[in-house]
């Protein structure tokens, strides 16, 4: 059946190992690449499915109709609802947007835990369970120092309150959270 062929395709391509690694969100196919999901053009996915079919005993079923049925059967388990904003993960039978999670080079950073100064682990290993298409090209290092930046801030903002406000502004820019209902106006000379 097309459902069995869809499952076999996922297994053959290693897309079902340790969590589903193929997703469909808002009409776009996404494949997990080890850290985040990248877009897979539909033409590339359909060509890969046909290549797979042609290499199996089901070769005689490699037709546009079977391909369409396989894609429909892939969509069901791979679908992230369009109402769900990324990054997101499945919790039970529901999808949950994870506004406080940011994917960085060395893992998934929990900004809520960082904000709370949590002693628990604030960074977890990359996982296909988190559907994210954004990777910040930096490793999280809680001990990192930035002396040039601090010197610049000291010159521009001599008072501590202004420096803390700027830190909050940059922090807001890192998240999808708009619950603080803030916007910023910069006036310069």
């Amino acid at each position: 059946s097309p459902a069995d062929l869809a499952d076999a395709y996922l297994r053959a391509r290693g897309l079902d190992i340790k969590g589903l690694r193929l997703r469909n969100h808002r009409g776009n196919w996404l494949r997990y690449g080890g850290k985040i999901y990248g877009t897979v053009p539909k033409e590339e996915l359909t060509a890969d499915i046909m290549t797979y079919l042609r290499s199996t005993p089901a070769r005689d079923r490699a037709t546009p109709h079977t391909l369409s049925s396989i894609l429909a059967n892939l969509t069901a388990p791979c679908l992230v609802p369009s109402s769900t904003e990324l990054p997101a993960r499945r919790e039970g039978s529901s999808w949950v947007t994870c506004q406080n999670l940011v994917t960085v080079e060395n893992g998934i950073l929990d900004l809520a835990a960082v904000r709370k100064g949590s002693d628990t682990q604030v960074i977890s290993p990359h996982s296909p369970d988190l559907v994210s298409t954004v990777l910040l090209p930096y490793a999280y290092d809680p001990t990192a120092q930035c002396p040039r930046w601090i010197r610049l801030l000291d010159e521009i903002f001599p008072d501590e309150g202004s420096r803390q406000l700027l830190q909050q502004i940059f922090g807001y820019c890192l998240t999808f959270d708009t619950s603080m209902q803030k916007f910023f106006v910069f006036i310069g000379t």
Side-chain angles (χ1 to χ4, degrees):
S1 76
D4 292 333
L5 288 171
D7 291 344
Y9 169 76
L10 290 173
R11 281 192 304 277
R13 294 300 190 249
L15 297 172
D16 67 336
I17 299 168
K18 294 183 182 176
L20 194 57
R21 295 168 182 252
L22 183 68
R23 295 292 182 187
N24 187 301
H25 184 249
R26 296 182 178 162
N28 296 310
W29 286 98
L30 307 169
R31 182 182 297 139
Y32 185 68
K35 295 182 181 179
I36 60 169
Y37 283 80
T39 301
V40 180
K42 186 174 180 180
E43 297 80 17
E44 187 178 312
L45 181 62
T46 57
D48 191 47
I49 293 169
M50 281 301 231
T51 300
Y52 165 74
L53 280 176
R54 294 170 55 86
S55 70
T56 69
R59 176 182 173 87
D60 60 326
R61 296 185 61 200
T63 65
H65 176 73
T66 302
L67 175 65
S68 178
S69 295
I70 291 171
L71 279 170
N73 278 278
L74 284 174
T75 300
C78 296
L79 186 67
V80 178
S82 63
S83 60
T84 303
E85 294 292 331
L86 299 182
R89 79 169 99 219
R90 190 176 195 102
E91 292 184 5
S93 62
S94 301
W95 281 92
V96 177
T97 297
C98 302
Q99 296 175 337
N100 289 314
L101 298 181
V102 176
T103 308
V104 294
E105 282 292 338
N106 57 337
I108 300 168
L109 182 62
D110 184 343
L111 294 175
V114 171
R115 267 195 311 269
K116 292 176 187 172
S118 178
D119 291 336
T120 62
Q121 192 171 358
V122 298
I123 194 156
S124 57
H126 292 112
S127 169
D129 294 338
L130 180 69
V131 180
S132 176
T133 58
V134 177
L135 172 72
L136 296 182
Y138 307 101
Y140 172 70
D141 178 1
T143 63
Q145 299 293 313
C146 44
R148 285 181 64 192
W149 176 247
I150 299 300
R151 278 195 312 274
L152 176 68
L153 289 179
D154 287 343
E155 286 178 31
I156 297 172
F157 301 109
D159 66 293
E160 179 66 23
S162 295
R163 289 192 300 271
Q164 286 181 348
L165 178 61
L166 186 65
Q167 183 177 0
Q168 282 182 338
I169 290 169
F170 283 122
Y172 289 134
C173 292
L174 282 175
T175 71
F176 295 99
D177 183 11
T178 58
S179 64
M180 295 298 196
Q181 300 183 6
K182 303 272 183 183
F183 72 95
F184 310 101
V185 177
F186 298 98
I187 301 172
T189 57

